Amino acid sequence: MRLLTATAALIAVLCAGCPPIERRTNGTGGAMTPANLKEGQAEMLRGEYEKAERTFRAARESGGARAAYWHGRALAALGHYKEAREALDAAAAAMSEADPQRLDALLWAADCAYWYADWKDAAARYQMLLGGHAGALPRTRVMLRLSRSLMRSGRWDSARAVCGRLLRTAPTAEVTEAARAGLLFCEMRRYVIQAAAFSKKSAAEKMAEALRSQGLDARIHTWRTPERTVHQVWIGEFSDYRDAVRELSRVRARERLQDAVVRP
């Protein structure tokens, strides 16, 4: 039985990190020196994020936008997204409009809001970036995350508009598929739990039947693209994203479906 993840391509697009803009000098007059900047960056490259966080935190005590920026990056690597957002906001506020790293800080702050599941804040930040810095952004990635932030905060009409623009300008088949899926959920105005996805319908039917026998509202949704057909096993419909996430936790614990996800 070949198990497929229908959203693998979208996840790959959404989870792509923003590349760092490396600098050896503090163009904003902060206290971080090239030596401790290099030390902290080396620690991050080795995956020593806790050490890097301490290095950059100590540098922040003397001030400096570069120290705040890299401290935010280290906090994000540790999964401390709320604190990272605050550090990156502080860095952006201390940088001049002409500083190219300011845009990088703003984008990382928006991504931290996204990873922290603060969908309203993430959407507002992505919209601000698209409105003021569209030409310098990884536009497709930002629009994909904006669309999902809007959907997860229940702003279906706004999300539909973004997905429509993505569909018209999609540079790849993966983005086209993501935009089409977004439009589908904007039409439904509901969230679902996707338990799994299969290339063979018989396998999907077998899982759905097993889930129904456990009292779950399971059904099959068939997703077709020019390249493939995938049979997704969906559970329930939810009008509030938070309710879907709570039910997902129960489904994972009870049915041992660790790969189940909430969509969109």
Side-chain angles (χ1 to χ4, degrees), residues 64-90:
R66 293 290 182 267
Y69 169 81
W70 283 104
H71 189 218
R73 290 285 303 272
L75 286 165
L78 289 168
H80 303 321
Y81 300 126
K82 182 179 180 181
E83 295 83 357
R85 175 175 54 181
E86 293 170 356
L88 290 158
D89 280 341

mmCIF file of all heavy atoms in Angstrom, residues 64-90:
data_model
loop_
_atom_site.group_PDB
_atom_site.id
_atom_site.type_symbol
_atom_site.label_atom_id
_atom_site.label_comp_id
_atom_site.label_asym_id
_atom_site.label_seq_id
_atom_site.Cartn_x
_atom_site.Cartn_y
_atom_site.Cartn_z
ATOM 1 N N GLY A 64 21.956 47.276 19.869
ATOM 2 C CA GLY A 64 22.364 46.952 18.511
ATOM 3 C C GLY A 64 21.315 46.163 17.759
ATOM 4 O O GLY A 64 20.806 45.155 18.260
ATOM 5 N N ALA A 65 20.998 46.642 16.568
ATOM 6 C CA ALA A 65 19.978 45.982 15.761
ATOM 7 C C ALA A 65 20.428 44.624 15.274
ATOM 8 O O ALA A 65 19.624 43.689 15.191
ATOM 9 C CB ALA A 65 19.614 46.875 14.570
ATOM 10 N N ARG A 66 21.728 44.478 14.941
ATOM 11 C CA ARG A 66 22.203 43.192 14.452
ATOM 12 C C ARG A 66 22.092 42.122 15.535
ATOM 13 O O ARG A 66 21.728 40.982 15.265
ATOM 14 C CB ARG A 66 23.656 43.310 13.980
ATOM 15 C CG ARG A 66 23.847 44.177 12.739
ATOM 16 C CD ARG A 66 23.272 43.507 11.491
ATOM 17 N NE ARG A 66 23.508 44.331 10.328
ATOM 18 C CZ ARG A 66 22.667 45.230 9.854
ATOM 19 N NH1 ARG A 66 21.508 45.431 10.457
ATOM 20 N NH2 ARG A 66 22.960 45.926 8.773
ATOM 21 N N ALA A 67 22.412 42.492 16.758
ATOM 22 C CA ALA A 67 22.289 41.535 17.860
ATOM 23 C C ALA A 67 20.849 41.102 18.043
ATOM 24 O O ALA A 67 20.551 39.919 18.246
ATOM 25 C CB ALA A 67 22.835 42.153 19.147
ATOM 26 N N ALA A 68 19.910 42.043 17.975
ATOM 27 C CA ALA A 68 18.491 41.700 18.115
ATOM 28 C C ALA A 68 18.029 40.802 16.977
ATOM 29 O O ALA A 68 17.271 39.844 17.187
ATOM 30 C CB ALA A 68 17.654 42.981 18.157
ATOM 31 N N TYR A 69 18.491 41.111 15.769
ATOM 32 C CA TYR A 69 18.109 40.294 14.605
ATOM 33 C C TYR A 69 18.567 38.847 14.786
ATOM 34 O O TYR A 69 17.776 37.906 14.661
ATOM 35 C CB TYR A 69 18.723 40.890 13.342
ATOM 36 C CG TYR A 69 18.613 39.993 12.136
ATOM 37 C CD1 TYR A 69 17.434 39.935 11.392
ATOM 38 C CD2 TYR A 69 19.671 39.179 11.735
ATOM 39 C CE1 TYR A 69 17.322 39.100 10.287
ATOM 40 C CE2 TYR A 69 19.568 38.340 10.642
ATOM 41 C CZ TYR A 69 18.401 38.307 9.915
ATOM 42 O OH TYR A 69 18.292 37.471 8.830
ATOM 43 N N TRP A 70 19.852 38.668 15.111
ATOM 44 C CA TRP A 70 20.363 37.304 15.224
ATOM 45 C C TRP A 70 19.837 36.606 16.474
ATOM 46 O O TRP A 70 19.677 35.382 16.491
ATOM 47 C CB TRP A 70 21.889 37.317 15.179
ATOM 48 C CG TRP A 70 22.370 37.499 13.773
ATOM 49 C CD1 TRP A 70 22.873 38.631 13.209
ATOM 50 C CD2 TRP A 70 22.336 36.515 12.746
ATOM 51 N NE1 TRP A 70 23.159 38.412 11.882
ATOM 52 C CE2 TRP A 70 22.838 37.128 11.575
ATOM 53 C CE3 TRP A 70 21.935 35.188 12.682
ATOM 54 C CZ2 TRP A 70 22.952 36.452 10.366
ATOM 55 C CZ3 TRP A 70 22.048 34.509 11.478
ATOM 56 C CH2 TRP A 70 22.548 35.134 10.336
ATOM 57 N N HIS A 71 19.539 37.367 17.514
ATOM 58 C CA HIS A 71 18.900 36.760 18.679
ATOM 59 C C HIS A 71 17.524 36.214 18.293
ATOM 60 O O HIS A 71 17.136 35.106 18.702
ATOM 61 C CB HIS A 71 18.772 37.799 19.803
ATOM 62 C CG HIS A 71 18.319 37.210 21.095
ATOM 63 N ND1 HIS A 71 17.447 37.868 21.944
ATOM 64 C CD2 HIS A 71 18.593 36.020 21.700
ATOM 65 C CE1 HIS A 71 17.226 37.118 22.998
ATOM 66 N NE2 HIS A 71 17.889 35.992 22.886
ATOM 67 N N GLY A 72 16.782 36.979 17.492
ATOM 68 C CA GLY A 72 15.496 36.501 17.009
ATOM 69 C C GLY A 72 15.630 35.253 16.167
ATOM 70 O O GLY A 72 14.831 34.311 16.287
ATOM 71 N N ARG A 73 16.656 35.221 15.334
ATOM 72 C CA ARG A 73 16.871 34.030 14.506
ATOM 73 C C ARG A 73 17.166 32.803 15.366
ATOM 74 O O ARG A 73 16.681 31.701 15.092
ATOM 75 C CB ARG A 73 18.033 34.293 13.544
ATOM 76 C CG ARG A 73 17.739 35.303 12.436
ATOM 77 C CD ARG A 73 16.862 34.688 11.355
ATOM 78 N NE ARG A 73 17.468 33.499 10.807
ATOM 79 C CZ ARG A 73 18.331 33.497 9.778
ATOM 80 N NH1 ARG A 73 18.683 34.638 9.208
ATOM 81 N NH2 ARG A 73 18.823 32.361 9.309
ATOM 82 N N ALA A 74 17.994 32.984 16.402
ATOM 83 C CA ALA A 74 18.313 31.863 17.282
ATOM 84 C C ALA A 74 17.080 31.401 18.057
ATOM 85 O O ALA A 74 16.837 30.198 18.208
ATOM 86 C CB ALA A 74 19.429 32.266 18.251
ATOM 87 N N LEU A 75 16.284 32.344 18.540
ATOM 88 C CA LEU A 75 15.050 31.981 19.251
ATOM 89 C C LEU A 75 14.096 31.224 18.332
ATOM 90 O O LEU A 75 13.450 30.255 18.754
ATOM 91 C CB LEU A 75 14.386 33.247 19.796
ATOM 92 C CG LEU A 75 15.056 33.887 21.014
ATOM 93 C CD1 LEU A 75 14.522 35.307 21.223
ATOM 94 C CD2 LEU A 75 14.831 33.039 22.261
ATOM 95 N N ALA A 76 13.997 31.644 17.083
ATOM 96 C CA ALA A 76 13.133 30.945 16.125
ATOM 97 C C ALA A 76 13.622 29.522 15.900
ATOM 98 O O ALA A 76 12.825 28.579 15.801
ATOM 99 C CB ALA A 76 13.078 31.713 14.812
ATOM 100 N N ALA A 77 14.942 29.341 15.818
ATOM 101 C CA ALA A 77 15.498 28.003 15.627
ATOM 102 C C ALA A 77 15.170 27.089 16.806
ATOM 103 O O ALA A 77 15.045 25.871 16.645
ATOM 104 C CB ALA A 77 17.010 28.092 15.433
ATOM 105 N N LEU A 78 15.009 27.686 17.991
ATOM 106 C CA LEU A 78 14.644 26.916 19.182
ATOM 107 C C LEU A 78 13.138 26.708 19.317
ATOM 108 O O LEU A 78 12.680 26.021 20.228
ATOM 109 C CB LEU A 78 15.171 27.633 20.436
ATOM 110 C CG LEU A 78 16.684 27.616 20.633
ATOM 111 C CD1 LEU A 78 17.086 28.601 21.722
ATOM 112 C CD2 LEU A 78 17.171 26.218 20.970
ATOM 113 N N GLY A 79 12.365 27.325 18.429
ATOM 114 C CA GLY A 79 10.917 27.194 18.490
ATOM 115 C C GLY A 79 10.254 28.170 19.434
ATOM 116 O O GLY A 79 9.065 28.039 19.721
ATOM 117 N N HIS A 80 10.993 29.171 19.897
ATOM 118 C CA HIS A 80 10.422 30.190 20.786
ATOM 119 C C HIS A 80 9.922 31.356 19.924
ATOM 120 O O HIS A 80 10.513 32.438 19.887
ATOM 121 C CB HIS A 80 11.474 30.671 21.785
ATOM 122 C CG HIS A 80 12.072 29.585 22.622
ATOM 123 N ND1 HIS A 80 11.314 28.531 23.114
ATOM 124 C CD2 HIS A 80 13.340 29.374 23.060
ATOM 125 C CE1 HIS A 80 12.092 27.738 23.824
ATOM 126 N NE2 HIS A 80 13.329 28.214 23.800
ATOM 127 N N TYR A 81 8.813 31.101 19.234
ATOM 128 C CA TYR A 81 8.403 32.014 18.174
ATOM 129 C C TYR A 81 7.887 33.351 18.692
ATOM 130 O O TYR A 81 8.106 34.384 18.055
ATOM 131 C CB TYR A 81 7.348 31.339 17.299
ATOM 132 C CG TYR A 81 7.852 30.081 16.653
ATOM 133 C CD1 TYR A 81 7.172 28.875 16.799
ATOM 134 C CD2 TYR A 81 9.031 30.093 15.912
ATOM 135 C CE1 TYR A 81 7.644 27.716 16.212
ATOM 136 C CE2 TYR A 81 9.511 28.927 15.319
ATOM 137 C CZ TYR A 81 8.812 27.742 15.480
ATOM 138 O OH TYR A 81 9.281 26.590 14.910
ATOM 139 N N LYS A 82 7.213 33.353 19.827
ATOM 140 C CA LYS A 82 6.710 34.613 20.363
ATOM 141 C C LYS A 82 7.867 35.538 20.725
ATOM 142 O O LYS A 82 7.872 36.725 20.367
ATOM 143 C CB LYS A 82 5.838 34.349 21.588
ATOM 144 C CG LYS A 82 5.223 35.611 22.179
ATOM 145 C CD LYS A 82 4.346 35.291 23.378
ATOM 146 C CE LYS A 82 3.734 36.560 23.969
ATOM 147 N NZ LYS A 82 2.888 36.258 25.155
ATOM 148 N N GLU A 83 8.855 35.006 21.441
ATOM 149 C CA GLU A 83 10.012 35.800 21.823
ATOM 150 C C GLU A 83 10.830 36.206 20.599
ATOM 151 O O GLU A 83 11.367 37.317 20.534
ATOM 152 C CB GLU A 83 10.877 35.018 22.805
ATOM 153 C CG GLU A 83 10.207 34.732 24.133
ATOM 154 C CD GLU A 83 9.305 33.505 24.099
ATOM 155 O OE1 GLU A 83 9.155 32.900 23.022
ATOM 156 O OE2 GLU A 83 8.748 33.155 25.169
ATOM 157 N N ALA A 84 10.912 35.300 19.627
ATOM 158 C CA ALA A 84 11.646 35.615 18.403
ATOM 159 C C ALA A 84 10.996 36.768 17.656
ATOM 160 O O ALA A 84 11.683 37.670 17.149
ATOM 161 C CB ALA A 84 11.717 34.379 17.507
ATOM 162 N N ARG A 85 9.672 36.753 17.588
ATOM 163 C CA ARG A 85 8.947 37.836 16.913
ATOM 164 C C ARG A 85 9.256 39.176 17.575
ATOM 165 O O ARG A 85 9.479 40.179 16.881
ATOM 166 C CB ARG A 85 7.451 37.539 16.932
ATOM 167 C CG ARG A 85 6.574 38.642 16.370
ATOM 168 C CD ARG A 85 5.106 38.214 16.325
ATOM 169 N NE ARG A 85 4.613 37.749 17.611
ATOM 170 C CZ ARG A 85 3.379 37.308 17.827
ATOM 171 N NH1 ARG A 85 2.509 37.278 16.831
ATOM 172 N NH2 ARG A 85 3.008 36.901 19.022
ATOM 173 N N GLU A 86 9.286 39.184 18.895
ATOM 174 C CA GLU A 86 9.565 40.423 19.616
ATOM 175 C C GLU A 86 10.981 40.923 19.327
ATOM 176 O O GLU A 86 11.196 42.127 19.121
ATOM 177 C CB GLU A 86 9.375 40.196 21.114
ATOM 178 C CG GLU A 86 7.923 39.924 21.513
ATOM 179 C CD GLU A 86 7.783 39.459 22.945
ATOM 180 O OE1 GLU A 86 8.832 39.264 23.608
ATOM 181 O OE2 GLU A 86 6.634 39.293 23.411
ATOM 182 N N ALA A 87 11.950 40.003 19.297
ATOM 183 C CA ALA A 87 13.332 40.398 19.026
ATOM 184 C C ALA A 87 13.483 40.925 17.602
ATOM 185 O O ALA A 87 14.168 41.931 17.358
ATOM 186 C CB ALA A 87 14.270 39.209 19.251
ATOM 187 N N LEU A 88 12.832 40.281 16.671
ATOM 188 C CA LEU A 88 12.929 40.698 15.270
ATOM 189 C C LEU A 88 12.222 42.028 15.039
ATOM 190 O O LEU A 88 12.678 42.855 14.242
ATOM 191 C CB LEU A 88 12.359 39.604 14.371
ATOM 192 C CG LEU A 88 13.228 38.335 14.322
ATOM 193 C CD1 LEU A 88 12.403 37.139 13.883
ATOM 194 C CD2 LEU A 88 14.417 38.541 13.380
ATOM 195 N N ASP A 89 11.118 42.243 15.735
ATOM 196 C CA ASP A 89 10.453 43.551 15.657
ATOM 197 C C ASP A 89 11.370 44.651 16.189
ATOM 198 O O ASP A 89 11.438 45.754 15.628
ATOM 199 C CB ASP A 89 9.147 43.528 16.458
ATOM 200 C CG ASP A 89 7.998 42.868 15.714
ATOM 201 O OD1 ASP A 89 8.089 42.741 14.472
ATOM 202 O OD2 ASP A 89 7.009 42.486 16.364
ATOM 203 N N ALA A 90 12.068 44.346 17.299
ATOM 204 C CA ALA A 90 12.995 45.331 17.863
ATOM 205 C C ALA A 90 14.125 45.624 16.886
ATOM 206 O O ALA A 90 14.544 46.785 16.731
ATOM 207 C CB ALA A 90 13.555 44.820 19.195
#
